[in-house]
Amino acid sequence: MDWPHTIVDREAWHQAAERLRSTEWSLLGLWGEPGVAHMAVMQAGQCALLSLACEENRFPSIGRLHAPAIRLERAMRDLYGLEAEGSPDARPWLRHESPYPFLPVEGESLHQIPVGPVHAGIIEPGHFRFTANGETIVRLEQRLGYVHKGIESLMAGASLEGAAKLACRVSGDSSVAFALAFAQAVESALGVEVPARAVWLRALAAELERLANHFGDIGAVCNDAAFALLHAHFGLLREHVLRAAGACFGHRLMMDGVIPGGLQRDLPADGERVLLELLALARKRFPELVEVYDDTASLKDRTVDAGILSPVLAQQFAAGGYVGRASGRKFDARRTPGYAPYDQLQFEIPVVQAGDVNARVWIRIQEVGQSLGILEQILRQLPSGPVCEPVARHAGEGLALVEGFRGDVLAWVRIGDDGRVERCHLRDPSWFQWPLLEAAIEGNIVADFPLCNKSFNCSYSGHDL
Amino acid sequence: MRRLLFKSLVQGPLTEAAPAADDAAVAQLAAQVTAEARKRLGRTLAIREVDAGSCNGCELEIHALSNVLYDLERFGLRFVASPRHADVLLVTGPVTANMRQALERTYAATPGPKWVVAVGDCARNGGIFAGSPACVGGVGKVLPVDLHIPGCPPDPTALLKGLLALLESSAGRSQA
Ligand code: SF4
């Protein structure tokens, strides 16, 4: 995909912040490298990249005018020493070397509950500091960065093959989405034409990943509302998807299947049969489970009206995925800016306004139906031919935006003359969703936090890099 | 819902047969589990999972152990919410610098006798993240590791084999 890349001065950078504040533009990403700040924005359905040389490692803060940028700027300082001038929050974010000053809390009858980084369940680590008045949450403050692995520093200098493997492991639940975003960015940088069959099979893998996560998470939300029956049934469906994925792509989470240029390998001989069986099973079982979800008052009692995210905030933060679509933001990278083969596939983008836990579950239920339809269309139209095109080794720069199950994943890569990665930035959708969880939980009871948290299901690893 | 429940009456169980314990893991463990520990634990182990910097891939497969097809609890293995209730720490990830202290504290909070099982390639030596200045590089750099289950991530069957080996050695059955 060709995106305009403009080298801007401080004035134009500042104007961009104004446009973001007025929601004329939406922020897709903000990141750094030594001495340079980069910003990706979406303007009227088009993506654009702006870069600013940072004299003395300083740049005008975007976060000062547009809050969604604040954590990104804190990360830029931690990783590259870039100072956001005028930033409202200059605390470190991904680096944890010094004691962390949490926000001060003032008021009567308030108490604090610190949770994590090690949680009670089998989930990723992060710290949540609740300020509560009795049972009611007055404020949640998140502290993340515990699983910061230094992925960008490992990317710098990596071979394309090595970098593709790393991309799969930015957030293990979205390995296809990240590998695809990375591959598309590389292909755009090097002008690679991916064979048609690979394009279609990549979409197939991406939809399987979406299905597996939606099944698992819908069940997990039900479990957090003490409805274990649905958790067991959805867990079974998820397992069937993972087994089919393992049979078709040689890895249950489909890691290392998508590579720059195409795919590591073609489907095995019985691949299509395995997938058709999976689809038949899901078509049969899924509606029964949805009916139970819909007809169970004790479940609805927990999910309706819990953790409401307002459409205004979803819009301001350009929240992707079901978090945005459950709060009225109709955005899906498969459509806008869009990429092949989705331009040749029929599917709807479900959207509702309610913004509560139930809405987020409901969007995911609808998306399962859409993904099943997409998979059936792919299997009917799958072109034949090779699945990989050799990738030339030369310098280039590319960007890509891909719809993962959680929302839009942004990838930017610059390749050097030696054909190795010079710099790469992968932006998980969670960057713009985590802060919204802080807002959505306000006024809810502490006991509803796990449920609300699960309904967002933000990535820690994807965010912490 | 009635339909769903009725179906379960006529359907057979979904849970699959257990895999055999991993021989290599049994051998690795045999030496480490003392007779004393065996006596105290019997045939059950409480597991506390700790993500020390994983990509979350390993957690997804650990989760799968609890689905109806693998049904981990039938073996007397169960996940607990606190290290204070745990016999085993199941640790994933390359141990990030930012998680090191939390991991050490979790270990300190676990009563003995206790075992550490490192899960996944990154937990062995940092795996794909080895060499990053943000990672310590493997669980063994921070805690004494009793068993390593390889894979990126190990699939549920591999995890189950490893854990069964641990169970067998803690119950003294690997000696037979
Ligand atoms: S071993 Fe692989 S799957 Fe497990 S945490 Fe490490 S990178 Fe992720």
Side-chain angles (χ1 to χ4, degrees):
Chain A
M1 196 183 325
D2 287 330
W3 295 7
H5 183 180
T6 324
I7 311 294
V8 297
D9 57 12
R10 289 172 61 95
E11 180 51 31
W13 184 265
H14 176 77
Q15 274 169 16
E18 290 285 0
R19 293 208 154 106
L20 289 167
R21 170 159 73 173
S22 70
T23 66
E24 186 188 337
W25 291 2
S26 3
L27 187 61
L28 290 178
L30 179 65
W31 68 98
E33 63 174 300
V36 186
H38 301 285
M39 183 189 337
V41 296
M42 174 151 289
Q43 14 175 309
Q46 295 292 316
C47 305
L49 177 61
L50 312 178
S51 302
L52 173 73
C54 303
E55 272 171 48
E56 295 179 6
N57 277 338
R58 304 174 79 80
F59 67 97
S61 167
I62 301 290
R64 191 170 66 85
L65 297 176
H66 187 59
I70 294 174
R71 288 182 177 177
L72 294 155
E73 291 179 344
R74 292 166 69 184
M76 286 162 80
R77 192 177 62 176
D78 287 350
L79 299 182
Y80 301 104
L82 300 173
E83 282 298 332
E85 288 166 2
S87 163
D89 190 344
R91 293 174 296 168
W93 185 238
L94 298 181
R95 276 178 183 261
H96 286 196
E97 279 130 31
S98 42
Y100 190 73
F102 284 93
L103 297 174
V105 172
E106 285 164 27
E108 274 185 35
S109 314
L110 297 179
H111 64 285
Q112 289 204 317
I113 311 170
V115 179
V118 178
H119 298 289
I122 304 171
I123 57 169
E124 302 181 83
H127 181 87
F128 300 119
R129 185 149 302 200
F130 298 97
T131 303
N133 184 338
E135 264 297 296
T136 307
I137 298 170
V138 178
R139 181 165 73 200
L140 161 64
E141 185 181 358
Q142 298 157 352
R143 189 194 183 193
L144 303 174
Y146 289 92
V147 285
H148 170 57
K149 294 179 268 289
I151 289 177
E152 292 196 3
S153 71
L154 291 168
M155 280 284 188
S159 66
L160 290 183
E161 296 74 24
K165 289 197 159 181
L166 268 170
C168 284
R169 290 156 181 85
V170 170
S171 181
D173 51 20
S174 305
S175 60
V176 176
F178 273 91
L180 183 56
F182 175 76
Q184 284 191 5
V186 169
E187 288 148 10
S188 139
L190 301 178
V192 180
E193 199 65 49
V194 180
R197 184 171 172 84
V199 169
W200 285 74
L201 282 176
R202 284 171 167 193
L204 189 140
E207 297 309 318
L208 283 178
E209 182 169 273
R210 201 178 320 279
L211 271 188
N213 283 294
H214 281 357
F215 284 149
D217 290 347
I218 296 169
V221 168
C222 296
N223 200 39
D224 279 340
F227 209 74
L229 174 71
L230 281 184
H231 182 228
H233 278 284
F234 277 112
L236 183 60
L237 274 183
R238 175 184 160 85
E239 179 66 24
H240 284 304
V241 177
L242 295 188
R243 288 184 178 189
C248 291
F249 294 94
H251 189 288
R252 284 162 50 94
L253 303 178
M254 295 176 279
M255 284 177 173
D256 310 326
V258 175
I259 54 169
L263 285 175
Q264 188 66 257
R265 69 180 100 164
D266 203 339
L267 284 186
D270 63 346
E272 291 192 32
R273 181 188 55 79
V274 168
L275 291 166
L276 287 171
E277 279 172 16
L278 172 73
L279 291 175
L281 181 88
R283 283 283 190 206
K284 185 159 166 288
R285 296 269 174 82
F286 184 64
E288 297 169 357
L289 302 182
V290 173
E291 201 185 310
V292 176
Y293 174 80
D294 235 17
D295 290 350
T296 305
S298 80
L299 252 177
K300 284 290 175 102
D301 184 47
R302 295 287 308 277
T303 59
V304 173
D305 273 352
I308 296 176
L309 171 68
S310 76
V312 173
L313 279 177
Q315 179 71 23
Q316 186 194 356
F317 278 73
Y322 47 85
V323 171
R325 292 192 280 271
S327 291
R329 183 170 185 263
K330 188 167 183 165
F331 177 82
D332 188 317
R334 291 173 294 178
R335 273 277 158 71
T336 321
Y339 48 95
Y342 292 100
D343 48 347
Q344 296 162 64
L345 293 164
Q346 308 273 325
F347 64 103
E348 304 279 322
I349 301 166
V351 62
V352 293
Q353 303 288 328
D356 55 2
V357 172
N358 182 53
R360 286 183 284 279
V361 171
W362 193 243
I363 291 290
R364 299 184 80 169
I365 287 174
Q366 302 292 316
E367 287 182 14
V368 165
Q370 296 303 317
S371 287
L372 291 174
I374 290 174
L375 285 166
E376 286 156 357
Q377 293 174 59
I378 292 176
L379 286 176
R380 275 200 300 273
Q381 301 176 47
L382 197 56
S384 53
V387 295
C388 200
E389 171 74 20
V391 174
R393 302 287 142 133
H394 57 82
E397 185 184 28
L399 251 165
L401 194 70
V402 159
E403 188 72 15
F405 85 92
R406 191 179 267 124
D408 48 297
V409 173
L410 178 84
W412 168 79
V413 66
R414 193 174 64 234
I415 300 166
D417 292 324
D418 55 358
R420 296 178 87 84
V421 172
E422 252 176 38
R423 291 281 163 194
C424 176
H425 174 72
L426 299 167
R427 195 270 299 140
D428 190 271
S430 306
W431 278 100
F432 301 123
Q433 296 168 341
W434 272 121
L436 295 174
L437 177 62
E438 286 186 347
I441 198 65
E442 220 180 279
N444 286 255
I445 58 171
V446 177
D448 270 350
F449 179 71
L451 182 69
C452 295
N453 188 24
K454 195 72 221 179
S455 76
F456 272 70
N457 191 27
C458 300
S459 170
Y460 299 68
S461 182
H463 164 282
D464 291 355
L465 287 172
Chain B
M1 167 116 78
R2 246 180 297 143
R3 210 164 359 122
L4 204 64
L5 293 175
F6 179 72
K7 257 201 215 153
S8 344
L9 289 178
V10 292
Q11 233 172 26
L14 295 160
T15 308
E16 297 176 332
D22 185 353
D23 288 343
V26 172
Q28 188 185 345
L29 287 161
Q32 286 151 352
V33 184
T34 63
E36 166 62 10
R38 263 177 219 133
K39 220 162 62 204
R40 282 177 54 183
L41 291 165
R43 223 199 120 80
T44 165
L45 288 175
I47 306 169
R48 171 65 249 186
E49 200 269 347
V50 184
D51 173 341
S54 126
C55 78
N56 197 26
C58 281
E59 276 62 33
L60 292 175
E61 292 297 55
I62 292 171
H63 254 293
L65 287 174
S66 302
N67 77 34
V68 292
L69 293 181
Y70 302 105
D71 187 18
L72 187 69
E73 290 212 14
R74 69 185 145 144
F75 303 109
L77 295 160
R78 76 206 151 87
F79 292 107
V80 292
S82 166
R84 300 206 188 278
H85 305 156
D87 307 308
V88 178
L89 291 186
L90 200 63
V91 188
T92 63
V95 188
T96 56
N98 294 351
M99 269 308 285
R100 179 185 193 135
Q101 189 189 42
L103 179 61
E104 286 167 346
R105 285 199 191 173
T106 307
Y107 184 75
T110 311
K114 55 187 165 186
W115 291 271
V116 174
V117 178
V119 169
D121 291 350
C122 349
R124 181 196 283 279
N125 56 11
I128 192 159
F129 306 111
S132 164
C135 297
V136 181
V139 180
K141 289 261 173 76
V142 182
L143 303 180
V145 172
D146 298 289
L147 171 67
H148 175 250
I149 303 177
C152 184
D155 64 25
T157 309
L159 287 165
L160 208 48
K161 285 182 174 173
L163 289 173
L164 288 180
L166 187 66
L167 193 62
E168 297 208 347
S169 38
S170 72
R173 291 158 64 130
S174 64
Q175 308 293 301

